[in-house]
Each structure stands twice: as structure tokens, then as C-alpha cells.
Amino acid sequence: MKILMYNTVSDELPYVKKWIEKTGHEVVTIDQPLDESTVERAKGFDAITTQQTTAINAPIYNQLAQFNIKQIAIRQVGYDVLNLPEAFANNIRLSNVAAYSPRAIAEYTLTQLFNLIRHNKKFERAMAVGDYTWAAGGQAREIHNLTVAVIGVGRIGTALAEMLHALGATVLGVDPVYRAQNEPFVAYTTLDDALSRADVISFHTPLNDETRAMADKNFFAKIQPGTIMLNFARGEIVDMVELEKTLQSGLLAGAAFDVAPNENDFMNQKQPTTKLPADIQRLLQYDNFLLSPHIAFYTDTAIKNMVEMALNDAVTMVNGGFTENEILR
């Protein structure tokens, strides 16, 4: 089988090579995403895989179908880049890698939470100008005293909840799907109840019609003074204007984001900070706002699993087989 691998990064190449040696299939890698300008590259291939944050727009699916491409295997959890109706209308099967390493994202979320409650950005900025006093950053909070609302208790949210529980935190879960196996470490509740009780709010939901702009003006009005917000899911879940207002007012004690609605304008790129979007420039000035370049997933285990699982699923779907990673709706 001949597979085209879109948007390949150098870290993936060793795992692609090992997979080829193990399976005997042919994989051609390119470093561009799947879009209107690159879809022609799929001609002559049996299957394709990609990982990207830019949308795969409607016309592309019909073109893929004309090339006899019957599937798209994305090497990531979030599949909001896909146009599901267009894919299904063109009889194209879809898959993601929902469990490539839930711990990778959960661990990084926890890392940034610790950075916020220990005021590390404040201390680092103070030390850079010679201020080594305790007052430069202020007293920290300890995690076992915190109540954390995990919004979206899927694989990643569950992994984070387990870690938080092991550290002594109280974990509230908000999710339309109840998972009884999580009861030992998650207390399921409503969104309003969670916001009224949480010291920390952490988003781990997919981006869809229900979650887009979930954290709006009304949402922020319900949080408690001194709340910390974490977003390691999708940027569009949070209204960034309201986030900035709430940070400025002091209602939010801090926020750590690995995503942003406008991240395609600057993330995974090199550019002067003066060229960053205006709202990002302003947010980065806050001592209590942390931004990372969509790297929560970025571990050796995750990259290996993303490559292997997506390529395996591509072969399976082309051959008409079943994969638990298939996106059905």
C-alpha cells in the first residue's frame, strides 16, 4: 500500500521508517498540510494521513474521492479541522488518535498549574532585574488545598483528574458522559455548580457547537474571585476578550493556555514578538498569564503513537476493516 503523509515533522521520520520496515508498506512524507494547493499530491496513493490545525475545507473531499482516496487518518485528537458532512457525502472514512498519550497533555497541564500557583513567571521576571526577594512573587498555594473543575472528562481529562486526586486536590467533573470508573477520583456535577466551587478550571473538551465560546461573558460572571483557568484543548472554547478583561480586573488569579483562536497566525513559526497578534502581545505582558506554543502533546511517546496508530488505521480503513479510532459522526 502507498500512503501519503501530509504535514510531516522531522521528529516523526524515525517512527515512519520503523513502521515501513515492520509493515512493508510505502510511505511518502511531505511537510505541507492538506489543503486546496496540496490535495493533488494525493493522486496515485491508496491512503493519506495528516496532522494540522488548519481546516480541511469542503472542496477537498470531492477531489480526494476522484483520486479514489477512501479515508483520512489524522494524527491528532481534535478533529474540528475536518468537515464531517462533506467527508461522509463523498464516502470518505475518518479516524483520529484519541489516545496517543493522554498523560502527555495532562502532565503539561499540571506543570503549568504548578507554575501559576508558585508564581514562577513573577519570580523569573524579578530575578532577571536583580530582585531576589520573596515579595517579588508572593506566597504560593498548595495543590492539595485546591478544588479543580475538569471540563471534559474524556481520556485526557481523566488522566489529569487521576493525577490531581493523587496529589490531594478535590476534582469536580463536568461532562455529558458519565463514566462510573471515574467515581473514586471525580465528583461529577453541573457546570454552574463547578464554577461556583472551583479554584481552578481546566478545559479538556473537543471543539464543537456546544463548546465553541463556552467561556463567554456569562461564564466568567459565574467564577469565583481568585480562580485559575487552564486551556489545553482548543482556543475557540474561550472568548479571549473576556479572558483579558477578567485578568485585568483581578477576578482571575491566573491563566495558562497552550492554544489560541488565532494560533495559526503565529504558533510553530519564528517571528519578532512585535509581529504577534495584538491580543497575544498584551496577554504576554501579564505576570499571571502563561502561553505555550501548542506543545502539551509533544513527547516521544506521543509522537511515536500518533504515527503508528494513524498509519495502522489508514491501512485498516482502506482494506474495509474496523478501527476503534474511526470518527462516525
Side-chain angles (χ1 to χ4, degrees):
M1 185 174 295
K2 189 177 179 182
I3 303 171
L4 178 60
M5 189 165 168
Y6 283 96
N7 226 31
T8 309
V9 297
S10 59
D11 292 333
E12 294 178 306
L13 295 176
Y15 303 114
V16 173
K17 182 180 178 182
K18 289 180 181 178
W19 188 85
I20 293 171
E21 292 171 351
K22 181 170 63 176
T23 65
H25 295 296
E26 180 182 354
V27 180
V28 174
T29 62
I30 60 174
D31 60 5
Q32 295 89 32
L34 173 58
D35 58 27
E36 287 85 346
S37 67
T38 61
V39 64
E40 288 281 344
R41 299 287 298 273
K43 192 172 184 179
F45 286 85
D46 303 300
I48 61 172
T49 174
T50 188
Q51 60 87 20
Q52 58 192 75
T53 56
T54 51
I56 302 172
N57 296 321
I60 294 171
Y61 303 91
N62 181 258
Q63 289 180 273
L64 290 173
Q66 291 180 36
F67 300 151
N68 203 33
I69 298 293
K70 297 181 172 64
Q71 57 66 237
I72 303 172
I74 59 172
R75 305 187 303 280
Q76 60 200 58
V77 177
Y79 54 86
D80 48 285
V81 299
L82 297 169
N83 186 320
L84 271 59
E86 285 295 328
F88 297 151
N90 285 281
N91 298 311
I92 293 176
R93 298 175 70 183
L94 307 169
S95 67
N96 67 340
V97 283
Y100 57 77
S101 182
R103 287 187 62 91
I105 297 170
E107 285 180 4
Y108 194 68
T109 305
L110 190 59
T111 298
Q112 293 293 69
L113 174 56
F114 275 120
N115 279 325
L116 283 172
I117 64 176
R118 299 307 302 240
H119 309 303
N120 284 341
K121 186 175 180 181
K122 290 182 181 179
F123 278 114
E124 288 170 3
R125 285 184 165 183
M127 289 187 294
V129 294
D131 185 350
Y132 282 75
T133 64
W134 298 347
Q139 289 186 6
R141 287 186 278 180
E142 296 184 19
I143 200 162
H144 63 90
N145 292 323
L146 301 180
T147 296
V148 183
V150 177
I151 302 178
V153 197
R155 292 178 175 91
I156 296 167
T158 294
L160 177 64
E162 288 179 306
M163 294 175 190
L164 290 165
H165 176 75
L167 292 167
T170 299
V171 184
L172 307 176
V174 179
D175 198 301
V177 178
Y178 166 74
R179 295 173 176 83
Q181 66 269 30
N182 290 348
E183 282 289 355
F185 49 89
V186 175
Y188 282 92
T189 188
T190 64
L191 178 61
D192 283 356
D193 179 62
L195 297 183
S196 72
R197 297 163 56 191
D199 301 298
V200 180
I201 299 165
S202 191
F203 293 103
H204 300 283
T205 69
L207 180 64
N208 52 39
D209 291 341
E210 287 72 39
T211 62
R212 190 180 300 275
M214 170 191 283
D216 57 9
K217 184 176 181 179
N218 183 54
F219 182 103
F220 280 104
K222 297 176 182 178
I223 69 172
Q224 301 306 296
T227 297
I228 289 171
M229 178 172 284
L230 311 171
N231 187 6
F232 292 78
R234 283 292 184 266
E236 292 87 344
I237 291 170
V238 178
D239 183 327
M240 299 297 279
V241 173
E242 293 301 324
L243 170 76
E244 188 173 353
K245 287 180 181 177
T246 314
L247 278 170
Q248 190 174 39
S249 72
L251 181 59
L252 270 181
F257 279 46
D258 191 48
V259 292
N262 53 357
E263 67 181 70
N264 288 326
D265 294 338
F266 65 98
M267 285 193 179
N268 202 27
Q269 302 175 36
K270 290 183 179 181
Q271 58 185 291
T273 55
T274 54
K275 298 295 185 181
L276 293 172
D279 63 330
I280 298 300
Q281 290 189 51
R282 291 193 304 271
L283 285 166
L284 289 174
Q285 297 306 308
Y286 287 88
D287 286 333
N288 58 349
F289 179 78
L290 308 179
L291 180 66
S292 48
H294 208 139
I295 54 168
F297 78 97
Y298 192 45
T299 68
D300 50 359
T301 299
I303 296 295
K304 171 182 177 293
N305 290 342
M306 289 163 69
V307 169
E308 291 185 355
M309 293 170 69
L311 290 173
N312 286 338
D313 287 343
V315 173
T316 297
M317 289 191 293
V318 169
N319 288 330
F322 166 80
T323 169
E324 64 179 0
N325 298 316
E326 185 164 5
I327 301 164
L328 299 173
R329 60 180 177 83

